[in-house]
């Protein structure tokens, strides 16, 4: 997902066959990394193996697209979104857990939504978020 339209660009280009090779490499990489990390770390190892495989897959596609087309799917907003996500995660992680599971779910998900969306809106990172928030605030102000 983080690589944007890379698959669509590759699939509709003269280099469409490379996408199959990249997916094949991803499968092999995922199997090998799972064989390494699963016995060492259990389910966490499986998650780490999948993440590392997807990261390498995305980097290979990124390099290929950049070399063949000069295409680069990232800009400063991507870095902003990652930073806002890390800040939100750190802030929400500081909340002590309650004995009430439902209260925890509502509190953490609500705070995550407010913090992350608020940072996106304040940073003017995504025009879609700003348009939505403007409509929401204008409806609220009318009432």
């Amino acid at each position: 997902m983080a690589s944007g339209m890379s698959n669509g660009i590759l699939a509709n280009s003269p280099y469409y066959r490379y996408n199959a090779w990249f997916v094949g490499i991803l499968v092999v990489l995922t199997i090998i990394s799972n064989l390494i990390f699963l016995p060492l770390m259990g389910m966490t190892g499986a998650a780490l193996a999948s993440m590392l495989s997807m990261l390498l897959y995305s980097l290979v596609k990124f390099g290929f697209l950049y070399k063949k087309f000069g295409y680069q799917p990232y800009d400063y907003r991507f870095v902003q979104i990652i930073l806002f996500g890390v800040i939100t995660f750190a802030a929400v992680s500081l909340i002590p857990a309650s004995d009430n599971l439902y209260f925890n779910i509502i509190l953490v998900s609500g705070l995550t939504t407010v913090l992350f969306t608020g940072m996106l809106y304040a940073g003017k990172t995504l025009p879609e978020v700003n348009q939505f928030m403007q409509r929401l605030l204008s409806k609220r102000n009318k009432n």
Side-chain angles (χ1 to χ4, degrees):
M1 245 201 288
S3 59
M5 292 297 298
S6 299
N7 286 331
I9 292 169
L10 275 177
N12 292 298
S13 75
Y15 303 103
Y16 66 91
R17 288 187 179 99
Y18 284 90
N19 204 29
W21 283 102
F22 294 150
V23 171
I25 292 168
L26 171 65
V27 169
V28 170
L29 213 67
T30 303
I31 292 169
I32 291 171
S33 59
N34 270 307
L35 288 172
I36 294 168
F37 290 111
L38 202 54
L40 296 174
M41 303 170 75
M43 289 303 282
T44 304
L48 179 63
S50 296
M51 187 219 34
L52 291 174
S53 298
M54 285 302 295
L55 178 66
L56 191 58
Y57 170 72
S58 294
L59 288 173
V60 166
K61 280 196 317 181
F62 172 81
F64 184 82
L65 287 173
Y66 191 72
K67 182 179 178 189
K68 295 294 183 183
F69 300 108
Y71 171 69
Q72 192 278 107
Y74 308 108
D75 62 4
Y76 73 94
R77 293 178 301 169
F78 188 78
V79 175
Q80 260 186 328
I81 292 169
I82 297 286
L83 181 64
F84 294 160
V86 169
I87 291 169
T88 302
F89 177 76
V92 170
S93 296
L94 296 174
I95 299 172
S98 165
D99 291 335
N100 187 332
L101 176 66
Y102 299 110
F103 177 75
N104 280 343
I105 291 171
I106 291 168
L107 179 66
V108 170
S109 59
L111 188 59
T112 299
T113 302
V114 169
L115 280 175
F116 191 69
T117 306
M119 285 189 278
L120 289 175
Y121 178 68
K124 294 182 171 59
T125 308
L126 300 172
E128 299 85 4
V129 171
N130 281 65
Q131 290 170 0
F132 174 76
M133 291 299 290
Q134 290 296 338
R135 279 196 311 257
L136 195 66
L137 292 172
S138 69
K139 285 181 184 178
R140 184 174 164 234
N141 290 337
K142 288 179 183 177
N143 294 335

